Amino acid sequence: MLGLLLVTLPLALAVESDVLNICMNGTHQKVKPGPEGQLFKQCEPWRDNACCTANTSVHAHNDQSKLYTFNWNHCGIMTKKCKKHFIQDTCFYECSPNLGPWIQQVGQSWRDERILHVPICKADCEEWWRDCQHDYTCKQDWHYGWDWSTGTNQCPLDSKCRPFGDVFPTARDLCEKVWSNSYRFTDSSHCMSLWFKAGLTPKTNQDVALHYALQMGLISCSGLAWPSLLLLGLSLLLSPSLSLS
Ligand SMILES: *[C@@H]1O[C@H](CO)[C@@H](O)[C@H](O)[C@H]1NC(C)=O
Ligand SMILES: *[C@@H]1O[C@H](CO)[C@@H](O)[C@H](O)[C@H]1NC(C)=O
């Protein structure tokens, strides 16, 4: 009986951790999340458990970084206050181990999986939009349609540089459209944070991921209760023998 419990416990935990502690099979993410003590600047909040390496976290802060050679400055130099949001978005994408419920297979040339409809906190989207509305861009969807002939993305011929506020009339438009629906804008307090202010930590995102994993039926309550029930069972089994010895 005890042997059976000892075998089932790690299995039950493994099922749970699959969706709640996982790295997508993207371009730079690690195979499994784990501690990364040296994460750089804005990626630092994820240092206890990250899908990015320290190296990736450094590159996430560079213009036309080696990660995707993506050019933020395609319509003139992007302001610092706007760029910091794109850096944070990159850190979140590369480092968060809490995106499991929203990972989808895509089998694109540059990545096998993507995220779709991650519920991003309204406040983070609105600040991103406010800080970028006077910057310029020529496209609404930054995943597709660029001219990559020079090795970095340039505005396609038929496009024109316009203020962010024209290209993305609302904060929702920015968050949802810029990366072709990787994010979903939500008013709900069950939302994923890009930034960790006022006492928020990546642990908050872990709780949010758990909420949605349950709601989406990716894990069940009984699946969650199992490990605690098993632990309880174990302690009950072990305690008499301890008192006997
Ligand atoms: C750091 O990351 C860049 C971009 O992914 C890569 O080209 C480079 O080889 C990496 N360096 C090390 C030491 O891992
Ligand atoms: C990740 O995707 C690549 C194809 O892009 C595949 O060859 C590889 O086996 C996948 N890795 C895992 C861990 O699923």
Side-chain angles (χ1 to χ4, degrees), residues 28 55 59 66-67:
H28 300 289
N55 181 32
H59 286 294
K66 285 187 182 153
L67 299 178

Side-chain angles (χ1 to χ4, degrees), residues 169-188:
T170 64
R172 177 192 291 273
D173 290 320
L174 172 58
C175 266
E176 297 189 347
K177 292 179 177 164
V178 73
W179 300 127
S180 52
N181 298 303
S182 293
Y183 298 143
R184 178 169 66 81
F185 178 93
T186 180
D187 283 333
S188 166

Side-chain angles (χ1 to χ4, degrees), residues 7 13 21 24 36 68 80 88 96 120 134 144 151 154 157 161 166-167 174 192 199 203 221 232:
V7 171
L13 287 171
N21 186 38
M24 86 180 90
E36 289 289 337
Y68 306 99
K80 259 195 177 152
Q88 196 67 15
S96 177
I120 292 294
H134 301 303
Y144 304 103
Q154 292 186 305
L157 278 181
C161 290
D166 285 1
V167 176
L174 172 58
M192 300 289 278
K203 179 80 175 58
C221 268
L232 182 66

Side-chain angles (χ1 to χ4, degrees), residues 11-41:
L11 279 182
L13 287 171
V15 169
E16 184 197 338
S17 72
D18 262 6
V19 71
L20 293 178
N21 186 38
I22 198 172
C23 298
M24 86 180 90
N25 188 356
T27 313
H28 300 289
Q29 287 86 354
K30 304 187 321 189
V31 173
K32 277 189 186 146
E36 289 289 337
Q38 303 298 315
L39 293 188
F40 193 63
K41 290 191 182 172

Side-chain angles (χ1 to χ4, degrees), residues 10 15 29 87 111 133 139 153 158 196 244:
V15 169
Q29 287 86 354
I87 294 172
R111 59 179 182 183
Q133 61 175 312
K139 285 178 52 49
N153 54 306
D158 60 355
F196 301 103
L244 281 179

